[in-house]
Amino acid sequence: MASGEKIEITAATRGDTPSTYSSTSPAYGNGQKQQSPDHHDLDQAYWYVQQSNNAAEATPSELAALRRKIDWRIVPIMFCCYTMQFIDKVSLNYAAVMGLNSELKLKSNEFTNAATWFFIAFLIAEIPNAIILQRVPVAKWLGVNVVLWGIATACTAAAHDYPTLLTARIFLGIFEAAIAPALILISSQWYTKSEAAPRFSIWYAGLGLGQIIGGIVSYAFQQVKHPTFSGWKIMFIVLGLVTVIIGIVTFFFLPDTPMQARFLSESEKVILLRHVAVNQTGIRNKKYKLSQALEILWDIQLWLMVLLTILISISSGVITTYSATLIRNFGYKPPKAALLNMPAGIVSIASTLIVGYGVRHTSNRWAWIGGCCMPGILGGGLMSFATGSKAAQLAGIYLVNTITATLIVIYQWTGSNVAGQTKRVVSVALVSGSFSVGNIIGPQTFQAKDAPDYIPAKTTVLATQAAAALISFVLFLYYVWANKRKGAASATAESSAVGGVAEEHLWEDQTDKQNPTFRYVY
């Protein structure tokens, strides 16, 4: 880029309020002297922009058109991946009401253990994912894993006893472990921090659609009557095949980075990269830095995020694994129980989209999490104490599904507030692994001795939601303090005035703690 050229891009602070970054200014906005970056340490996106020799600029309307173009090309693929991830994961829930337990002669807590081992495998697989995702093309890795978990889903139809069911679920957990970290990293490449929030919500709404489709699929395959090949087996085969097709599409059509997007022109790529540079979180840097990984050990925000994720996931683990079972225990027949589980998907979709667009326009991620926990607390109370009313307990199950929206806020929050390529990859894997921990604990609160009411499990939903609301507020206080410590103008300012940052510094591989101009969003 020629000396003296100035770039105008939008700043990603608390609400992504505009600020100006200049390639000529010698100082950081907080008065600290700007150090020359290590040119071997700059993000691949920086070198792409420099080598393009393209000085293209975009008007707000042109940027909006570019966002729409990107939305239609990448969000639907991520949405389909997440929809099938959820359906394949909870298909065991639907198979349970279709006769799987009796046909496989499952005893005592074996069904619960099968559900739990999925998440144990999921958790263990996050360890290699934390390394692999920085070294390999992210979208390609995602596509391969989608195909493999589709195969694992189809193979569940071959289960004939507890050990074979357990084997299929373990392999499913291993391959599904890649999806959350991969989608977080991919989504964060294409949008500024506030722009990313509704896009995260759209693909995450696949969870709610999965609940609806899952109910329809379960009901449909319960109508299949075959003496040797049960409806639940056909269901697993069909779901597996659909997932494999989506995985192939993902591998070939989802770009690994904006620089590799064949549907964008050179000028559009440069415009996009300059636009998202303000995130200061980078696009791609293969250099693994142990120091960045170790920084996580004393980063308070991440351990609070881990705790928040575990608390939320305990409740989601209860609902996603056992909702159909709970509804059936109200006295409904299996086909009707499957259909009655579908409104939970509508609640999930509505809450997820409302929260995503709310964060886009108002920020206040902590408040949106707390707001979603309130219906969850009410739902947990109805499930726990309204034991004399079938309608009240059913309403409780639906209300608890509002908590699904909190997880996408946590994912997007992590993607926005962690910088440094190694630290980011390890952090998203850590948070995703925390989701597994919560889901391991959640199903274990369902013990055979507590059937059919499962009061301890329902009470757990109530308690964990209240604790999650509290932790989200603690995170808010931490980020206010951290920004003030970094030199933010005030704890309540709409934006942190960070001016005069050279373009190369925006792409330097620094962590959020190392970078004096980085500001946390909350």
Side-chain angles (χ1 to χ4, degrees), residues 3-195:
S3 175
E5 184 177 344
K6 188 174 183 180
I7 16 175
E8 303 282 346
I9 41 185
T10 304
T13 56
R14 177 174 172 239
D16 291 335
T17 317
S19 290
T20 299
Y21 292 85
S22 171
S23 60
T24 61
S25 181
Y28 286 118
N30 60 4
Q32 290 179 278
K33 187 178 179 181
Q34 184 170 319
Q35 302 296 321
S36 297
D38 179 357
H39 282 74
H40 296 290
D41 207 26
L42 293 171
D43 196 272
Q44 290 180 13
Y46 171 79
W47 296 113
Y48 185 90
V49 171
Q50 297 307 305
Q51 292 167 9
S52 71
N53 292 318
N54 192 318
E57 295 184 3
T59 64
S61 61
E62 289 171 336
L63 268 176
L66 179 58
R67 277 196 297 269
R68 286 194 299 271
K69 185 176 183 179
I70 294 167
D71 288 343
W72 283 108
R73 290 301 295 263
I74 70 167
V75 176
I77 296 175
M78 296 191 290
F79 176 83
C80 289
C81 286
Y82 211 80
T83 299
M84 294 313 299
Q85 180 262 353
F86 181 81
I87 293 175
D88 293 343
K89 178 177 67 179
V90 302
S91 54
L92 190 67
N93 180 15
Y94 294 109
V97 301
M98 296 169 70
L100 176 141
N101 291 15
S102 58
E103 195 166 332
L104 270 55
K105 297 181 173 60
L106 300 183
K107 302 173 184 176
S108 187
N109 291 320
E110 287 182 343
F111 177 79
T112 296
N113 292 338
T116 298
W117 270 100
F118 167 90
F119 290 104
I120 293 174
F122 192 106
L123 176 61
I124 294 172
E126 291 297 0
I127 298 172
N129 271 312
I131 300 171
I132 293 170
L133 282 167
Q134 188 173 359
R135 301 295 182 88
V136 305
V138 179
K140 298 293 183 290
W141 180 247
L142 174 62
V144 167
N145 279 273
V146 174
V147 169
L148 291 174
W149 95 54
I151 294 171
T153 299
C155 288
T156 309
H160 55 83
D161 55 15
Y162 174 62
T164 51
L165 175 65
L166 200 59
T167 301
R169 295 297 293 180
I170 287 172
F171 277 103
L172 184 64
I174 290 170
F175 299 131
E176 284 202 12
I179 187 166
L183 292 185
I184 292 170
L185 293 171
I186 292 169
S187 301
S188 301
Q189 296 175 355
W190 300 84
Y191 306 99
T192 63
K193 295 177 182 181
S194 70
E195 290 171 356

Side-chain angles (χ1 to χ4, degrees), residues 208-244:
L209 181 64
Q211 288 174 295
I212 296 170
I213 293 176
I216 296 171
V217 167
S218 174
Y219 179 82
F221 285 109
Q222 285 182 63
Q223 312 310 311
V224 176
K225 308 296 180 184
H226 193 280
T228 59
F229 209 69
S230 305
W232 62 266
K233 293 183 178 181
I234 302 174
M235 178 183 74
F236 279 122
I237 292 172
V238 172
L239 292 177
L241 290 174
V242 172
T243 302
V244 167

Side-chain angles (χ1 to χ4, degrees), residues 357-375:
Y357 283 88
V359 170
R360 169 68 169 121
H361 295 290
T362 68
S363 195
N364 296 314
R365 292 159 178 83
W366 66 276
W368 285 103
I369 289 176
C372 286
C373 287
M374 294 303 109

